[in-house]
Amino acid sequence: MSSTLSTPTSAQEPGGAPSGFEADRGTDSLGGTVRAYLDRVRGGDLGALPAILGIVVLGLLFFVLRPETFLTPRNMANLADQAAPIIILAMGLVFILLLGEIDLSAGVVSGVCAAVMAKLLADAGAPWYVSVLAAIVTGVVIGLFTGSLVGMVGIPSFVVTLALFLGWQGFTLRLIGEGGTVPVRDPVISAISDKNVPVALGWVLALLTIAVYAALQLNRFRVQKARGLAHAPLAVVLVRIGVIAAVVVLVTAVLSVDRAPAVGVVLAGVPYAIPLVVLLLLLLTFVLGRTSFGRHVYAVGGNAEAARRAGINVTRIRVAVFVIGSTLAAISGIVAAARLGSVAPGSGGGNTLLYAVGAAVIGGTSLFGGRGRVRDAVLGGLVVAIIANGLGLLGTEAYLNFIITGGVLLLAASVDALARRRAAATGH
Amino acid sequence: MSAPIDRPEDGTPTLELRGVNKSFGAIQVLHDVHMKVYPGQVTALVGDNGAGKSTLIKSIAGIHAIDSGEFLFEGKPVTVSGPREAAALGIEIVYQDLALADNLDVVQNMFLGRERKNGILLDETSMEEAARDTLSKLSVRTLKSVRQLVSSLSGGQRQTVAIAKAVLWESKLVVLDEPTAALGVAQTRQVLDLVRRLADTGHAVVFISHNMVDVFEVSDRIAALYLGRMAADVPISQVDRPQVIELITAGRSGDLGIAPAEAAAVEV
């Protein structure tokens, strides 16, 4: 009986017979898209704009202040290494922030996982893959624990993770011992930060990335156009591909220049941390954007009650995002340990978490839930890393570093809150 | 039963409730509720605030488990213990507060919780096509784009999306909780037309409203709740507006309604 409403689809579509929504298919003009974008920005949806502005402005600022050191290939490689752990931690936080929750313990969890790995490597003499696996499993278990307390017991995530922030620090201290450090000297793990992809392979990977991205975008455009669905104009798709290609080529080119400090040694190629971040970016973007799990994360963040009524297991989603958050914290901890060459009781403490939350928020992820993307972590993480890197080159004192970083986080959170108010007022 | 516009009552109701009881702690909200909803008909569910309408539809939706009583769907006794099971039977509820996620677009909302997939990938193409198809079959012409975020829609547009979402599925019973409550004149018109079209396409429709004009315009049957008891469940031709208002406010009117003794007991 209800089948009267589900007869075969698209019979009248391609011919252009009126069905009421021609507007979303007729935007073949570039001008229309630009106008729609400006409308969105005016309506409070700033997207990646603040982060891109931040990267450009801060980049120029530090270039002017430190022309000899800031924009050198050596410092760029260093910047990538510095940004990687922040970005990876922020990627996990994006999932948690999407639900409107927070994980204040993410930083110290990265420390716990790194400590587990370092102890296994140094004391038990375990091979690198066992240690890395153990660190990641530790992250998963911690995430399950945190997620269960938030999702099943129903304690606000702020309180749970504040308690765990203290608790896990104690755990790391017990594991490593007061005042001690555990060295991380495994060649494979150290390679994440101090080895580079061979220049030729780097170029192959770069071109492959561009080709695959272009193919996916163009294919999507073709299908949408052919089936008469909503789609962006071809010009916009081409500009998108062009921007990605330019960034990938530029980064690969800069990092393929020999940056060895001494003559006679060759130091060139993309640091392994970059393909790792790109891989996680692709994987997690896929999960959030193309799977029903990702869709459900957005739905729970936007309206948990609607999601529950739609039959989505809200508790399962809540637990899952904390597991993802802690797992990425573990990876972030491993990368940070590789960079520093050791794990100390204070690893993952201090401003680690603040940097990562700042990265996600500066990138455009809302603290109120429902809005955010994985790429926000990358863009925002770069902004945070540029600040840390640039201030380091300027030799500013520690107190100023704290104040500036705290100020930037506040600024980003204000932009988020104002954007939300603006969005509510304009009905976007 | 003699009125010419009466639809047959001997057919199998899509939904039949027999002697349903529901309590929250010490408070009994539904007392021995009987109700029949027929395919191709709009059944208006009326009752004052606190009469138990919301509890009744949440029980139908599987959100609240009933304490006792029979729940028959297309003549077969069933137990519905969750929204998913209700949906699997073909029961769709359109809530007063709409239950749409503002941060998702129209298509994403219509398929929420039941996304079409290609392996593990979401099948956006087929979902968008099906959404377009359903909306145009319901003659919805008020949306600019099916890829608009729901946060940018007006109240009437949201209601339309919520109803279209219910129709998208192989739904047999659609329950509408005050779909016209917050709407202007023109938008109310659109939604009422949509409600009538739902029944005309074979759906059994339960329509909750406080507006008697709307009720008499689109309904075939009327079910009146009074303090958790079903005061009447009759074809609309058997009652007129003053009688319905009496049923809502006093629980009885003439021969209809709960027995005087019982009504008196309830008043206390």
Side-chain angles (χ1 to χ4, degrees), chain A residues 13-58:
Chain A
E13 296 289 337
S19 69
F21 326 100
E22 285 73 27
D24 60 350
R25 272 171 273 161
T27 51
D28 264 319
S29 72
L30 192 56
T33 313
V34 171
R35 236 174 294 130
Y37 177 73
L38 289 178
D39 273 354
R40 274 220 312 280
V41 170
R42 249 181 254 124
D45 181 5
L46 298 175
L49 208 57
I52 291 172
L53 272 179
I55 292 172
V56 171
V57 170
L58 288 167

Side-chain angles (χ1 to χ4, degrees), chain A residues 1-13 18-25 45 223-224 227-231 286 289-292 295-299 301-303 305-313 369-371 427-428, chain B residues 14 39 58 63 74 83-84 95 97 99-104 108 112-113 115 117 120-122 124-130 132-138 140-141 143-147 151-153 165 167 169-172 201-203:
Chain A
M1 10 186 223
S2 55
S3 62
T4 34
L5 284 169
S6 50
T7 47
T9 55
S10 74
Q12 81 280 40
E13 296 289 337
S19 69
F21 326 100
E22 285 73 27
D24 60 350
R25 272 171 273 161
D45 181 5
V223 170
Q224 285 175 333
R227 305 278 280 270
L229 304 178
H231 58 77
F286 173 82
R290 297 270 172 270
T291 68
S292 55
R295 180 66 43 83
H296 295 172
V297 169
Y298 281 107
N303 187 343
E305 181 57 22
R308 194 177 67 84
R309 289 185 194 169
I312 295 169
N313 188 337
R371 185 161 52 81
H428 269 273
Chain B
T14 303
K58 281 182 177 162
I63 291 175
E74 296 187 313
R84 259 181 204 280
Y95 292 98
D97 46 4
L100 299 175
D102 272 1
N103 59 334
L104 298 181
Q108 292 171 340
L112 190 58
E115 291 81 7
K117 282 181 273 188
I120 57 164
L121 274 174
L122 289 172
E124 296 287 353
T125 313
S126 120
M127 286 195 280
E128 187 174 328
E129 277 176 350
R132 275 177 194 285
D133 205 50
T134 302
L135 286 166
S136 41
K137 287 220 167 60
L138 289 172
V140 173
R141 306 213 178 279
L143 291 176
K144 203 170 75 202
S145 160
V146 292
R147 287 296 181 186
S151 58
S152 67
L153 299 182
K165 176 183 177 182
V167 174
W169 306 100
E170 293 293 302
S171 50
K172 292 166 181 157
T201 48
H203 296 80

Side-chain angles (χ1 to χ4, degrees), chain A residues 252-276:
Chain A
T252 315
V254 168
L255 294 174
S256 295
V257 176
D258 181 16
R259 54 178 182 271
V263 191
V265 197
V266 176
L267 180 61
V270 177
Y272 276 106
I274 291 183
L276 177 65

Side-chain angles (χ1 to χ4, degrees), chain A residues 69-144:
Chain A
T69 43
F70 182 70
L71 265 188
T72 57
R74 201 153 127 220
N75 192 45
M76 287 300 109
N78 188 27
L79 182 67
D81 275 343
Q82 223 171 340
I86 303 173
I87 289 173
I88 296 170
L89 193 59
M91 283 175 172
L93 282 165
V94 165
F95 280 78
I96 294 168
L97 292 174
L98 270 176
L99 290 202
E101 307 279 357
I102 184 76
D103 187 353
L104 298 174
S105 67
V108 296
V109 166
S110 78
V112 171
C113 298
V116 167
M117 176 192 73
K119 283 298 263 187
L120 280 175
L121 282 174
D123 293 3
W128 69 271
Y129 48 88
V130 172
S131 316
V132 166
L133 190 68
I136 290 173
V137 168
T138 308
V140 171
V141 171
I142 290 176
L144 276 174

Side-chain angles (χ1 to χ4, degrees), chain B residues 41-251:
Chain B
Q41 298 195 15
V42 177
T43 302
L45 178 61
V46 296
D48 218 340
N49 293 333
K53 301 188 298 292
S54 294
T55 306
L56 185 60
I57 63 164
K58 281 182 177 162
S59 303
I60 296 172
I63 291 175
H64 296 327
I66 55 174
D67 297 339
S68 61
E70 277 184 273
F71 188 124
L72 287 91
F73 196 79
E74 296 187 313
K76 288 182 280 292
V78 289
T79 46
V80 181
S81 53
R84 259 181 204 280
E85 281 179 39
L89 285 172
I91 300 175
E92 290 293 327
I93 317 278
V94 180
Y95 292 98
Q96 195 171 7
D97 46 4
L98 296 176
L100 299 175
D102 272 1
N103 59 334
L104 298 181
D105 67 31
V106 172
V107 179
Q108 292 171 340
N109 263 292
M110 285 176 71
F111 278 90
L112 190 58
R114 287 173 286 196
E115 291 81 7
R116 286 190 190 167
K117 282 181 273 188
N118 245 341
I120 57 164
L121 274 174
L122 289 172
D123 189 352
E124 296 287 353
T125 313
S126 120
M127 286 195 280
E128 187 174 328
E129 277 176 350
R132 275 177 194 285
D133 205 50
T134 302
L135 286 166
S136 41
K137 287 220 167 60
L138 289 172
S139 309
V140 173
R141 306 213 178 279
T142 51
L143 291 176
K144 203 170 75 202
S145 160
V146 292
R147 287 296 181 186
Q148 247 180 312
L149 290 188
V150 164
S151 58
S152 67
L153 299 182
S154 72
Q157 289 172 325
R158 282 164 190 247
Q159 194 62 252
T160 306
V161 171
I163 295 174
K165 176 183 177 182
V167 174
L168 186 61
W169 306 100
E170 293 293 302
S171 50
K172 292 166 181 157
L173 172 67
V174 180
V175 180
L176 304 163
D177 187 6
E178 298 200 40
T180 56
L183 302 184
V185 177
Q187 293 187 328
T188 300
R189 178 79 265 140
Q190 284 169 8
V191 171
L192 288 181
D193 287 346
L194 197 53
V195 171
R196 196 57 248 175
R197 230 171 288 137
L198 276 182
D200 293 344
T201 48
H203 296 80
V205 181
V206 174
F207 173 70
I208 298 179
S209 179
H210 285 295
N211 186 326
M212 288 306 127
V213 180
D214 294 354
V215 166
F216 275 86
E217 181 173 336
V218 294
S219 308
D220 303 296
R221 287 178 68 82
I222 190 154
L225 272 177
Y226 175 72
L227 298 178
R229 290 168 170 80
M230 191 57 81
D233 179 15
V234 294
I236 197 123
S237 54
Q238 293 186 5
V239 288
D240 57 19
R241 203 177 299 175
Q243 276 182 301
V244 173
I245 290 169
E246 257 189 294
L247 286 167
I248 293 171
T249 53

Side-chain angles (χ1 to χ4, degrees), chain A residues 310-383:
Chain A
I312 295 169
N313 188 337
V314 176
T315 307
R316 196 179 68 94
I317 300 282
R318 271 219 174 98
V319 176
V321 296
F322 279 97
V323 171
I324 292 172
S326 295
T327 307
L328 284 160
I331 298 173
S332 161
I334 295 168
V335 174
R339 187 169 120 78
L340 296 175
S342 67
V343 179
S347 287
N351 51 17
T352 310
L353 176 85
L354 199 73
Y355 276 176
V357 174
V361 176
I362 292 167
T365 296
S366 174
L367 288 165
F368 302 97
R371 185 161 52 81
R373 294 175 179 205
V374 183
R375 67 149 202 231
D376 296 350
V378 178
L379 294 173
L382 282 174
V383 173

